[in-house]
Amino acid sequence: MILDKKVKIKITKKNIEYYNRFYENISLKDIIEIETETQLQKGSNLKINVSCDLCNIERYIKYQAYIKNINSCIKHPI
């Protein structure tokens, strides 16, 4: 489970097109606050706080690693 419900990200050349879908009038180097589960890109290297749904251990891992772990777990509903 994701513990960080919102995170702040910096707009770059690589992500400006993606975030223009959610926000109007953003430009390079802007820092915006986004909802982690619905707006963060699946391949993001941003580290977030998570808690294991099975054993409740908390960790600070990359979002892309979290998505990979969730999708590979048989016990976790997708």
Side-chain angles (χ1 to χ4, degrees):
M1 161 177 49
I2 297 175
L3 301 176
D4 295 335
K5 299 304 176 195
K6 291 190 174 195
V7 292
K8 291 183 179 183
I9 60 157
K10 185 175 184 178
I11 300 299
T12 65
K13 287 190 271 185
K14 293 183 179 182
N15 66 14
I16 191 167
E17 188 176 320
Y18 178 79
Y19 289 110
N20 269 332
R21 298 182 211 170
F22 303 107
Y23 300 95
E24 294 179 15
N25 301 322
I26 59 171
S27 57
L28 293 176
K29 298 184 182 179
D30 283 352
I31 296 176
I32 60 172
E33 188 172 58
I34 62 168
E35 294 181 26
T36 307
E37 293 190 50
T38 58
Q39 295 177 333
L40 192 59
Q41 292 174 294
K42 302 290 184 210
S44 176
N45 284 325
L46 184 70
K47 288 190 172 185
I48 58 170
N49 290 306
V50 297
S51 174
C52 178
D53 294 334
L54 305 175
C55 64
N56 295 322
I57 294 176
E58 292 184 13
R59 296 190 63 201
Y60 188 62
I61 63 172
K62 292 180 181 179
Y63 185 67
Q64 65 178 336
Y66 171 78
I67 294 296
K68 182 179 178 182
N69 289 339
I70 291 298
N71 291 336
S72 66
C73 181
I74 297 171
K75 293 183 179 181
H76 193 279
I78 297 177

